[in-house]
Amino acid sequence: MKDQAYLSMPAFTATCCLGNGLASLRSSLLSQHTGLVPCKFESVDLDTYIGITNITEDKVFLSAELQDFDCRNNRLAYLGLQQDDFIDAVEKAKCRFNKTRIGVFLGTSTSGMLQTEKGYRELDPQTGALPSWVNYRFAQNTCSVAHFVRLALGLDGPTAVVSTACSSSAKVFAMAQRMLLLGVIDAAIVGGVDSLCLTTLYGFHSLQLLSQNPCMPYDTYREGISIGEAAVFALLTRDDSYTPPGSLLIKGVGESSDAYHMSSPHPEGLGARQAMQSALQQARLSAPEIDYIHLHGTATKNNDAIESIAVSAVFEEKPPASSTKGATGHCLGAAGALNVAIGALALQQQVAWGSPGTEELDATLSPIHYLIHNVARPVNHVLSNSFGFGGSNCSIVLGLKD
């Protein structure tokens, strides 16, 4: 693995509250536009902001063979797959590789839980049974989204879903990397799909972690997170002679577990440091070779404080760093893949992104070079952080092929 860790990322796409596909995402990041809006979702009565996508309720949106999977999460996945010619890229991969050797590895947190939540409103008063239209296997089941995407893309390779909260869709890059390097597969579809539901909104509210205003990562007056939803996909292959110069590469993936607390990170950022150091080691890079850090940056008091401690400890020379969750919201199980996509755009645009929503950097945080506004600069390597509940950490180094 040490000799051949680099992966090629020939195609990727992202759909979130900033729009469908990369053009909308890129344009919004360049203008530092936010997609967060006051919460008007289902029956939710909370004073907060959310990042919501425009998902059609058209009954014929999904083809007949996909109808069993119909739920908000899989509709979001299908919407995401339609963008940026991603399906065409997968078709080309199917011409190069056998479809049984293309894996699908996705991250999510609540999958299609919204369908079951709606079903509880119609419980049978005699038996307590959910209504027949609630399809647990193909909607709420965590693996539903990967099963759905594999079927939608006509693939027959191995499939898995990682559900480790906010690091879920970053850790699938590591899973695909292992499968590719072991020779089990020749290509992989990775990413994350996580849609809004009542449980996440009320759950984070009960934890007193929701912001009443659009979130303000690393800001003195940050109040907490704004929850968003997203569908992000990337095609991965081995970095070989087919990979042209200038192509996007996944150069290193570092994982760690705090094993400290069910929801709080290690107070000294130990696990976060280990994940970043492991990613750098696998990428065969030193800390000064990172040109931009795309932070996890949720805008909670604790997360931002601990992440700043960890970043400050790893990077003696402080590269520019920022969080874009003030634009997209925190997309939970899709956040890791969305961070990677935004990091890839930083490489393509040669821009270190600013931090929409942040106005005044919290001076009590450990010293990092935090960007509030975009800065055009040479960007050869990006480090992307994703840290989940329970101290599940994943850092990814992206670069361009020489």
Side-chain angles (χ1 to χ4, degrees):
M1 186 174 291
K2 180 183 294 186
D3 296 334
Q4 175 55 294
Y6 292 179
L7 303 178
S8 174
M9 192 168 83
F12 70 106
T13 183
T15 289
C16 64
C17 65
L18 294 174
N20 303 337
L22 296 176
S24 297
L25 179 59
R26 183 186 299 109
S27 174
S28 295
L29 291 170
L30 287 170
S31 63
Q32 297 207 265
H33 168 72
T34 180
L36 300 179
V37 295
C39 182
K40 293 180 180 177
F41 176 72
E42 290 292 331
S43 58
V44 175
D45 182 18
L46 292 173
D47 187 13
T48 187
Y49 278 67
I50 58 173
I52 187 168
T53 58
N54 185 18
I55 304 173
T56 179
E57 295 183 359
D58 190 336
K59 291 185 178 179
V60 298
F61 181 56
L62 301 180
S63 62
E65 65 174 352
L66 299 175
Q67 283 294 325
D68 285 344
F69 294 86
D70 196 358
C71 65
R72 182 176 182 84
N73 208 55
N74 290 334
R75 280 180 174 252
L76 177 56
Y78 197 66
L79 178 64
L81 288 172
Q82 312 305 312
Q83 314 305 321
D84 300 306
D85 298 323
F86 189 77
I87 292 177
D88 289 343
V90 175
E91 289 299 315
K92 290 178 182 176
K94 287 161 67 177
C95 293
R96 180 182 171 195
F97 307 112
N98 191 303
K99 64 180 181 180
T100 63
R101 290 183 57 81
I102 302 178
V104 177
F105 310 109
L106 301 175
T108 190
S109 66
T110 54
S111 190
M113 186 179 289
L114 180 64
Q115 187 189 75
T116 306
E117 292 172 335
K118 291 180 177 178
Y120 266 89
R121 298 167 180 165
E122 299 181 24
L123 285 179
D124 186 303
Q126 301 301 319
T127 66
L130 289 164
S132 59
W133 52 264
V134 175
N135 190 331
Y136 181 88
R137 177 184 176 189
F138 292 122
Q140 182 172 330
N141 185 306
T142 305
C143 203
S144 164
V145 65
H147 191 177
F148 171 81
V149 168
R150 181 171 65 168
L151 184 61
L153 295 176
L155 300 173
D156 289 329
T159 300
V161 166
V162 173
S163 188
T164 54
C166 313
S167 64
S168 303
S169 58
K171 291 174 73 67
V172 295
F173 284 80
M175 176 178 283
Q177 181 192 56
R178 289 190 285 269
M179 298 283 273
L180 282 160
L181 297 179
L182 288 170
V184 177
I185 56 174
D186 295 319
I189 309 301
V190 299
V193 185
D194 222 2
S195 52
L196 294 169
C197 69
L198 309 184
T199 298
T200 48
L201 286 163
Y202 281 111
F204 279 97
H205 174 69
S206 69
L207 292 171
Q208 301 180 354
L209 292 177
L210 287 186
S211 176
Q212 292 186 351
N213 298 294
C215 70
M216 307 167 71
Y218 280 73
D219 194 283
T220 302
Y221 302 103
R222 66 190 185 279
E223 301 173 330
I225 69 173
S226 302
I227 294 180
E229 60 183 0
V232 185
F233 299 100
L235 172 65
L236 300 181
T237 64
R238 298 181 188 87
D239 173 29
D240 54 23
S241 59
Y242 286 90
T243 309
S247 299
L248 289 166
L249 297 179
I250 301 297
K251 292 196 167 186
V253 185
E255 299 176 278
S256 69
S257 175
D258 285 5
Y260 172 75
H261 188 273
M262 287 185 66
S263 59
S264 297
H266 188 282
E268 297 174 1
L270 178 60
R273 293 204 316 259
Q274 290 173 333
M276 287 186 278
Q277 289 165 338
S278 178
L280 288 169
Q281 182 179 15
Q282 193 178 87
R284 303 190 287 275
L285 295 172
S286 61
E289 292 176 276
I290 296 297
D291 302 301
Y292 167 61
I293 303 174
H294 195 200
L295 299 162
H296 186 52
T298 62
T300 66
K301 292 288 185 185
N302 206 25
N303 173 86
D304 292 0
I306 302 302
E307 186 176 24
S308 72
I309 292 172
V311 169
S312 184
V314 173
F315 294 90
E316 185 174 347
E317 300 176 21
K318 314 300 183 192
S322 70
S323 166
T324 55
K325 287 186 171 59
T328 65
H330 187 357
C331 299
L332 306 178
L338 184 57
N339 255 30
V340 169
I342 293 174
L345 290 178
L347 287 163
Q348 292 179 335
Q349 297 295 129
Q350 293 292 285
V351 170
W353 302 118
S355 305
T358 305
E359 297 177 356
E360 178 183 304
L361 178 63
D362 185 348
T364 67
L365 298 174
S366 291
I368 64 172
H369 182 183
Y370 192 79
L371 295 180
I372 292 180
H373 302 292
N374 294 340
V375 173
R377 54 162 292 152
V379 181
N380 296 311
H381 293 106
V382 173
L383 177 75
S384 176
N385 284 340
S386 298
F387 305 137
F389 265 164
S392 175
N393 311 295
C394 188
S395 296
I396 297 177
V397 174
L398 299 91
L400 299 172
K401 183 158 182 171
D402 295 332

